[in-house]
Amino acid sequence: MVLKCHPDKSQGNTKVDEEAFTCIQKAYEQLCYIDGKRAYDSVDPRFDDDVPNITEHNKQNFYKVFGPVIASNAQWSMNKNVPMLGSDSDEIDYVNDFYNFWYDFKSWREYSYLDEEERDKADCKEERRYLDKLNKIERIRRKKEEMTRMRQLVDICYACDPRIKAFNEDRKKRKLEAKLAKQELIDRTRSSTSSKRGGRAD
């Protein structure tokens, strides 16, 4: 493609070939370095930044609603071993590991493609430095917004998760059973002590 569009090899419309060659050069410069490729990959028109709300519908259809959202956001993870949402059959250890991972989610997504200040059009080094500073501030702001969005997603997911509700109910049940068993043992001990005292009195 490069040779085909190279101006020196052109056999057709030289102007069109020059424009195509310039685009190919820019694409190569963008994609041959990891930072440039991440900037390019961060532009995903299919990605939806929306976070589901806490509703009865979303609670009742938890896996159907949140499963695809978690899978979609997993693409930004710096860690390649990303735990997915799972199912009702998951043990508490898996669920805890899932939320620990997502609450500490580290994203490689970056926002240089949204830079509003075009440094290449600056007239001097000082102006380029100033524009770089403005762009950096805006990237940091967007990154913070993204981390807030991710935290909100995980919070809402946790609030709607039927497994968390089931684990909490089971924990309360076992705690109550332990309390009743302890009280029963105390009552039995007291009853036994009273009987022994009554026997000695006779």
Side-chain angles (χ1 to χ4, degrees), residues 145-200:
E145 284 184 352
E146 171 67 357
M147 297 317 296
T148 299
R149 184 190 71 84
M150 287 299 302
R151 182 67 186 231
Q152 182 186 27
L153 169 61
V154 183
D155 282 341
I156 292 175
C157 185
Y158 187 91
C160 293
D161 196 331
R163 297 168 300 184
I164 298 299
K165 182 180 179 181
F167 294 148
N168 288 338
E169 288 177 350
D170 182 62
R171 189 181 298 113
K172 287 179 182 178
K173 181 181 177 182
R174 285 187 281 109
K175 189 174 180 180
L176 178 60
E177 288 174 347
K179 184 178 179 180
L180 292 174
K182 183 178 180 181
Q183 187 61 49
E184 184 180 353
L185 179 60
I186 292 172
D187 293 342
R188 195 181 303 140
T189 302
R190 285 176 178 171
S191 176
S192 176
T193 303
S194 298
S195 298
K196 289 179 179 178
R197 286 176 180 172
R200 285 198 296 270

Side-chain angles (χ1 to χ4, degrees), residues 4-23:
K4 183 179 179 181
C5 296
H6 196 287
D8 294 341
K9 304 289 183 179
S10 175
Q11 296 180 359
N13 190 326
T14 305
K15 184 177 180 180
V16 172
D17 287 341
E18 284 180 354
E19 291 177 353
F21 184 72
T22 300
C23 288

Side-chain angles (χ1 to χ4, degrees), residues 47 69-79 82-84 102 105 108 150:
F47 182 74
V69 177
I70 291 296
S72 179
N73 279 274
Q75 67 179 300
W76 310 123
S77 175
M78 294 182 74
N79 189 328
V82 184
M84 293 293 104
W102 282 90
F105 190 83
W108 57 260
M150 287 299 302

Side-chain angles (χ1 to χ4, degrees), residues 108-125:
W108 57 260
R109 194 180 186 188
E110 61 102 74
Y111 300 91
S112 61
Y113 62 93
L114 292 176
D115 286 350
E116 295 180 2
E117 308 297 339
E118 298 184 50
R119 70 185 304 275
D120 293 338
K121 293 183 179 180
D123 294 327
C124 61
K125 186 187 296 183

